[in-house]
Amino acid sequence: MIHAGNLEITKENEDQFKTLVEVTGSLRVYGSAKLDALTTVGGDLCVDGSAKLDALTTVGGDLRVYGSAKLDAPALTTVGGYLFVDGSAKLDAPALTTVGGYLRVYGSAKLDALTTVGGDLRVYGSAKLDAPALTTVGGDLCVYGSAKLDAPALTTVGGGLSVDGSAKLDAPALTTVGGGLSVAGSAKLDALTTVGGGLSVDGSAKLDAPA
């Protein structure tokens, strides 16, 4: 089944879409939904409940996971727009390689295959982002509050880099920051050689950049 235009799926109408393969517009999922056949959302995908989308490979627009929502999307490889994980939401997308826009994480996200974020990457509050394959952030990289980002393969940040509060960044392969570098938290940047803008290390901050 292909649905032309936008679609909302709720607990009440979920059974009507068991064979849904594609939504050409945007899709919003409320409550709990299991859509085994869905492979493509042409527009935005918004999840407000618990969704299991085992066959989903592509979201053409933005992907938003709200509140205490949970999204399992084991086959998802591409988000064309931005990716937003809010509140205590959880996203498990182990095959996701590319986010075309920005990535913002307030909750928990496990993105084992992610290599590229085209825009800004921002990790807030007590959020935790595991992105062991991430190599490139096209815009700014900001880690706030008590958030933690482990990015062992990250080599390039196109914009500025900011580590605030009690946040922690571990990016031992990072060599280049295109903009400024501001550290008020803790940053381990063993390979860093180039900062395009200003450098600021505040208060009791800790910056390891021996290279």
Side-chain angles (χ1 to χ4, degrees):
M1 175 194 296
I2 297 176
H3 180 88
N6 299 333
L7 176 64
E8 290 187 356
I9 295 181
T10 66
K11 186 176 181 180
E12 287 72 24
N13 69 3
E14 176 188 349
D15 289 342
Q16 301 173 32
F17 299 102
K18 292 295 187 184
T19 60
L20 182 68
V21 173
E22 180 180 353
V23 177
T24 63
S26 295
L27 172 63
R28 189 163 194 130
V29 180
Y30 295 94
S32 177
K34 190 171 187 295
L35 304 171
D36 292 337
L38 181 67
T39 62
T40 306
V41 176
D44 299 341
L45 171 59
C46 302
V47 179
D48 280 318
S50 175
K52 190 166 176 58
L53 309 177
D54 287 348
L56 182 69
T57 60
T58 305
V59 175
D62 302 334
L63 171 56
R64 309 177 192 183
V65 189
Y66 291 109
S68 58
K70 186 174 187 298
L71 172 59
D72 289 323
L76 180 66
T77 59
T78 305
V79 174
Y82 73 74
L83 172 56
F84 185 74
V85 184
D86 191 20
S88 59
K90 292 185 179 181
L91 169 64
D92 192 1
L96 181 66
T97 60
T98 305
V99 175
Y102 67 71
L103 169 58
R104 295 188 181 180
V105 181
Y106 291 83
S108 174
K110 189 168 174 58
L111 307 174
D112 289 344
L114 184 68
T115 60
T116 305
V117 176
D120 297 346
L121 170 55
R122 299 177 185 265
V123 187
Y124 297 90
S126 58
K128 188 172 189 302
L129 171 61
D130 290 323
L134 180 67
T135 60
T136 305
V137 175
D140 297 336
L141 171 57
C142 304
V143 189
Y144 299 102
S146 59
K148 188 172 187 295
L149 171 60
D150 290 324
L154 181 67
T155 60
T156 305
V157 174
L161 171 59
S162 176
V163 184
D164 197 11
S166 59
K168 291 185 179 181
L169 169 64
D170 192 359
L174 181 66
T175 61
T176 304
V177 175
L181 171 59
S182 175
V183 180
S186 174
K188 187 169 175 57
L189 308 172
D190 292 345
L192 186 67
T193 58
T194 304
V195 177
L199 171 61
S200 173
V201 182
D202 298 328
S204 59
K206 187 172 188 297
L207 170 62
D208 291 327

